[in-house]
Amino acid sequence: MAPGWARPVVPLRHLAQRVIELKPLPDLAESLEIARTEQVGYTTEQPGSTPATLGSGESGESGESA
């Protein structure tokens, strides 16, 4: 829930977002190329985790399946 003072600002937020979206992004092409080639892990490794257990719901410590 937003504070009461935010109510009159909300319509301006939409306008400001449109203006910012129109601004050219000079590094966008380079950033997208990096994102396409980057290999990232989508989970945080935990103690006892292995590549086989990451994202599987198993902790890797108990040996039981989730």
Side-chain angles (χ1 to χ4, degrees):
M1 177 159 261
W5 61 263
R7 176 172 268 184
V9 177
V10 171
L12 298 176
R13 179 199 157 272
H14 296 290
L15 177 62
Q17 182 176 351
R18 294 284 185 201
V19 170
I20 290 173
E21 287 174 351
L22 294 174
K23 179 183 175 196
L25 302 172
D27 298 327
L28 182 60
E30 180 183 359
S31 298
L32 290 174
E33 187 57 36
I34 290 170
R36 285 185 191 105
T37 59
E38 186 176 37
Q39 298 295 317
V40 297
Y42 291 107
T43 59
T44 303
E45 291 187 35
Q46 300 294 316
S49 66
T50 65
T53 60
L54 286 176
S56 67
E58 296 182 29
S59 68
E61 296 177 2
S62 66
E64 296 177 9
S65 295

